[in-house]
Structures are given as structure tokens and as C-alpha cells.
């Protein structure tokens, strides 16, 4: 139940104001240094492998959202985010998931991406 509440809070806190960023083609890019992420989240070797696979899929879906037209862009990004959170919640423990969501939230806020409707 806490994971669901945490997910909802995160999605709501990532409100969407599609501000005009100068580098609009990369504001949804989610490429990260996997070694740094693994170290920050204290991932095991198996978790790192699984997180890397899930994150690569997430990046691919976010790239598709990036090139979509304005009407679909945020819908596709929201769907990619929901899938990412759902998949990772089965791999990460509670504390790791909380830290991951914090990092994700900070990344989106810094890029001016808001997911509220």
C-alpha cells in the first residue's frame, strides 16, 4: 500500500508545465551513469543487471515520447514512467525505491517536466 501511495505522490509531484526549454529535443532523455546509480542505490550485482535492463527500456520509451507530437508527448512519457516505476518496484527494496523516485523527481523538476494534468 505504501508503494502505491508513494507512486501516486511522485506522479502528482511531477506536475507538467511543458515549459519551453532551449534544448527541447533532450528534455525527456533519461540516460544515466548506471555505475553511479548502482552505487547510490546500493544495488546488488543482480539488481544492477535488472535495473539496467528496465532503465534501457524506459529510455527507449522516453525517446519515443520525445519525438512524438505535442498532443501525445506527455501521455507517452507518463505511460513510460508508470511502467518504469511498476517494474522497478519489484526489483528494488523500499528504501532503494524511495531514493530512486527522489532522484527521478529531481531530474524531471530540473528539466522543467511536469506530469500533472
Amino acid at each position: 500500500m505504501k508503494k502505491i501511495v508513494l507512486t501516486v505522490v511522485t506522479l502528482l509531484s511531477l506536475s507538467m508545465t511543458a515549459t519551453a526549454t532551449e534544448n527541447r529535443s533532450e528534455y525527456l532523455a533519461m540516460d544515466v551513469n548506471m555505475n553511479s546509480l548502482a552505487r547510490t542505490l546500493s544495488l546488488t550485482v543482480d539488481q544492477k543487471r535488472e535495473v539496467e535492463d528496465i532503465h534501457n527500456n524506459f529510455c527507449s520509451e522516453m525517446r519515443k515520447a520525445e519525438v512524438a507530437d505535442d498532443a501525445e508527448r506527455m501521455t507517452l512519457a507518463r505511460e513510460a514512467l508508470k511502467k518504469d516505476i511498476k517494474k522497478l518496484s519489484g526489483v528494488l527494496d523500499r528504501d532503494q525505491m524511495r531514493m530512486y523516485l527522489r532522484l527521478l523527481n529531481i531530474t524531471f523538476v530540473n528539466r522543467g517536466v511536469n506530469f500533472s494534468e
Side-chain angles (χ1 to χ4, degrees):
M1 186 66 175
K2 289 182 181 180
K3 285 184 181 181
I4 293 171
V5 171
L6 185 59
T7 301
V8 170
V9 168
T10 301
L11 288 173
L12 292 176
S13 70
L14 297 171
S15 52
M16 180 190 150
T17 54
T19 55
T21 58
E22 290 185 21
N23 196 356
R24 183 123 171 116
S25 66
E26 292 185 13
Y27 84 114
L28 289 176
M30 298 305 300
D31 298 318
V32 299
N33 181 325
M34 193 51 63
N35 291 325
S36 294
L37 182 62
R39 189 173 44 255
T40 301
L41 298 178
S42 301
L43 299 178
T44 65
V45 174
D46 292 333
Q47 282 180 316
K48 182 180 176 187
R49 246 181 269 135
E50 289 185 59
V51 168
E52 192 166 12
D53 289 340
I54 292 168
H55 188 72
N56 288 338
N57 290 334
F58 178 56
C59 289
S60 175
E61 290 183 29
M62 290 301 274
R63 279 188 219 101
K64 289 177 187 174
E66 227 172 38
V67 297
D69 61 11
D70 288 339
E72 289 186 334
R73 181 175 292 120
M74 293 317 295
T75 302
L76 291 173
R78 254 187 232 103
E79 289 301 315
L81 180 61
K82 287 178 187 177
K83 286 180 191 176
D84 183 59
I85 291 170
K86 183 178 179 181
K87 290 176 182 177
L88 283 174
S89 66
V91 175
L92 303 177
D93 67 30
R94 183 175 166 227
D95 291 333
Q96 290 170 324
M97 192 66 191
R98 184 178 294 158
M99 177 58 78
Y100 178 78
L101 292 173
R102 222 179 267 148
L103 294 171
L104 197 60
N105 187 27
I106 291 167
T107 300
F108 283 128
V109 168
N110 286 342
R111 294 181 183 187
V113 178
N114 264 329
F115 285 99
S116 68
E117 300 170 327

